[in-house]
């Protein structure tokens, strides 16, 4: 049976990073204090209370291959969100007229993709000295690609199908992207924690999301298909409030529908080692004049 190693951020040892390189992920407790988690959640509650999303921008977020093309692939609102803070909703939260049929605080799937740049509290956490444990993994010039808040709403928080982040965030060479997934509440098997296939980051990728030619629809398409994975190879990775999972860009992971009465709020952002790396111009996410990919290390 596979055992998930969990270490404390304050007690990092070289073996921690050996685990990351071997398995494609590692769990670390105590990146943020409970108070810091609560502050991030409170600020997000304020953002949701203040949100005003026009009807034509009420986009459902899905990781299903075909639904993703239908919803995000046809939506300029999605493809231009890299330098903005935008709202993406769960399925079934609007009526035929586009009005909410659930409280709007319970309607959101995620908010992204520039929280790390424009929201001071999230920017502070992203650039905090605690996060710079990435230096011990050999990241010399990491830049921040995107920042998101994921809600995993009670009872309706949608499934995230098996995928690799490099499908959406492709680099040459591969292996230059890392996700930091910070649990702002306990992430459990019941409320939709992540599941991984350990070691699956060593097999490359079989699918890419790419931009299509300008002026054509959909705005994005997939090249290749996600392969079928053996369910028995997935291992659950619960995370305590304030803990973080470091996620290799090619490791296969997923999460189930949240059928519990508890939410599973997460702040997550992705880094790319910029030194000797080419960011693909075909990726849906592109830096802009307003927001080039900012460096992680500010000093």
């Amino acid at each position: 049976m596979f055992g998930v190693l969990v270490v404390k951020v304050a007690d990092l040892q070289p073996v921690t990073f050996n685990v990351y390189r071997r398995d494609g992920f590692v769990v670390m407790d105590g990146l943020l204090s409970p108070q810091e988690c609560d502050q991030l959640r409170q600020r997000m509650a304020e953002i949701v209370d203040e949100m005003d999303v026009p009807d034509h921008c009420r986009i459902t977020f899905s990781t299903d291959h075909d639904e993703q093309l239908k919803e995000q692939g046809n939506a300029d609102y999605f493809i231009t969100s890299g330098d903005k803070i935008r709202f993406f909703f769960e399925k079934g939260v609007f009526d035929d007229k586009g009005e909410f049929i659930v409280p709007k605080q319970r309607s959101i799937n995620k908010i992204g993709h520039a929280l790390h740049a424009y929201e001071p509290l999230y920017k502070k956490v992203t650039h905090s000295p605690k996060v710079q444990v990435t230096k011990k993994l050999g990241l010399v010039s990491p830049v921040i690609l995107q920042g998101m808040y994921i809600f995993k709403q009670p009872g309706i928080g949608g499934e995230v199908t098996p995928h690799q982040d490099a499908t959406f965030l492709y680099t040459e060479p591969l292996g230059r992207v890392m996700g930091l997934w910070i649990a702002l509440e306990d992430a459990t098997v019941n409320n939709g924690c992540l599941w991984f296939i350990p070691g699956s980051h060593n097999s490359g990728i079989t699918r890419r999301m790419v931009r299509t030619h300008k002026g054509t629809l959909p705005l994005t398409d997939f090249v290749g298909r996600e392969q079928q994975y053996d369910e028995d190879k997935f291992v659950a990775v619960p995370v305590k409030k304030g803990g973080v999972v470091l996620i290799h860009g090619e490791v296969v992971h997923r999460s189930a529908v949240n059928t519990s009465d508890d939410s599973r709020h997460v702040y997550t952002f992705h880094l790319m080692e910029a030194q000797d790396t080419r960011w693909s111009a075909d990726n849906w996410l592109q830096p802009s004049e307003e927001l080039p990919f900012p460096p992680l290390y500010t000093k």
Side-chain angles (χ1 to χ4, degrees):
M1 180 178 291
F2 184 89
V4 176
L5 175 69
V6 180
V7 299
K8 291 187 179 298
V9 170
D11 300 326
L12 291 183
Q13 301 292 332
V15 67
T16 304
F17 304 107
N18 292 337
V19 169
Y20 174 81
R21 296 184 181 98
R22 181 193 70 197
D23 297 336
F25 67 95
V26 68
V27 183
M28 298 189 295
D29 277 348
L31 182 76
L32 300 184
S33 69
Q35 293 76 21
E36 288 172 313
C37 293
D38 292 343
Q39 288 170 357
L40 290 170
R41 290 184 60 205
Q42 177 58 39
R43 176 56 191 142
M44 186 51 59
E46 294 168 358
I47 292 171
V48 173
D49 284 342
E50 296 163 2
M51 78 173 177
D52 182 16
V53 182
D55 290 353
H56 70 280
C57 296
R58 293 183 175 184
I59 305 299
T60 297
F61 184 81
S62 172
T63 59
D64 176 81
H65 182 101
D66 296 321
E67 289 183 3
Q68 203 160 27
L69 288 181
K70 179 182 176 183
E71 295 288 343
Q72 293 100 268
N74 285 305
D76 185 71
Y77 183 79
F78 171 76
I79 204 170
T80 59
S81 64
D83 59 359
K84 301 173 180 67
I85 295 174
R86 288 187 168 166
F87 304 86
F88 303 91
F89 298 90
E90 293 288 356
K91 291 190 290 186
V93 301
F94 300 117
D95 63 18
D96 293 341
K97 297 179 181 179
E99 300 298 327
F100 290 106
I101 59 175
V102 301
K104 68 177 183 178
Q105 294 83 0
R106 291 288 187 96
S107 68
I108 303 286
N109 176 289
K110 72 172 185 176
I111 295 178
H113 290 91
L115 282 173
H116 62 283
Y118 296 140
E119 270 297 319
L121 198 57
Y122 291 85
K123 185 175 184 178
K124 179 182 177 182
V125 167
T126 305
H127 293 280
S128 70
K130 294 178 183 179
V131 166
Q132 297 187 11
V133 296
T134 52
K135 289 180 178 177
K136 296 184 179 181
L137 275 170
L139 272 67
V140 177
S141 301
V143 295
I144 307 160
L145 303 175
Q146 61 177 356
M148 300 177 287
Y149 193 102
I150 302 173
F151 292 79
K152 207 71 165 179
Q153 302 284 4
I156 62 169
E159 174 189 18
V160 176
T161 57
H163 69 283
Q164 299 161 288
D165 292 342
T167 289
F168 309 96
L169 309 172
Y170 184 80
T171 62
E172 293 180 353
L174 283 169
R176 300 305 180 94
V177 169
M178 175 194 294
L180 284 84
W181 193 94
I182 305 170
L184 304 182
E185 305 175 284
D186 288 347
T188 68
V189 171
N190 289 334
N191 71 0
C193 72
L194 296 177
W195 293 67
F196 289 86
I197 299 180
S200 56
H201 60 302
N202 295 314
S203 302
I205 64 172
T206 60
R207 182 176 69 137
R208 283 190 59 198
M209 175 187 269
V210 298
R211 288 180 174 237
T212 55
H213 295 295
K214 192 172 182 178
T216 61
L217 288 175
L219 300 175
T220 61
D221 202 353
F222 284 106
V223 177
R225 300 285 299 198
E226 196 71 42
Q227 61 180 289
Q228 297 297 309
Y229 300 105
D230 183 348
E231 282 293 318
D232 292 338
K233 291 185 178 180
F234 283 96
V235 296
V237 181
V239 185
K240 293 180 181 178
K241 179 178 179 177
V244 62
V245 189
L246 304 185
I247 303 174
H248 190 285
E250 290 157 72
V251 71
V252 177
H253 55 293
R254 64 170 177 83
S255 66
V257 175
N258 181 6
T259 58
S260 78
D261 295 329
D262 301 315
S263 57
R264 191 222 63 189
H265 288 203
V266 166
Y267 174 52
T268 183
F269 56 95
H270 286 91
L271 307 175
M272 176 185 72
E273 172 54 68
Q275 181 170 284
D276 300 323
T277 306
R278 188 181 76 84
W279 179 252
S280 175
D282 293 332
N283 287 336
W284 79 267
L285 176 67
Q286 294 296 325
S288 66
E289 290 184 10
E290 293 78 12
L291 185 62
F293 293 147
L296 178 68
Y297 307 147
T298 55
K299 294 182 180 181

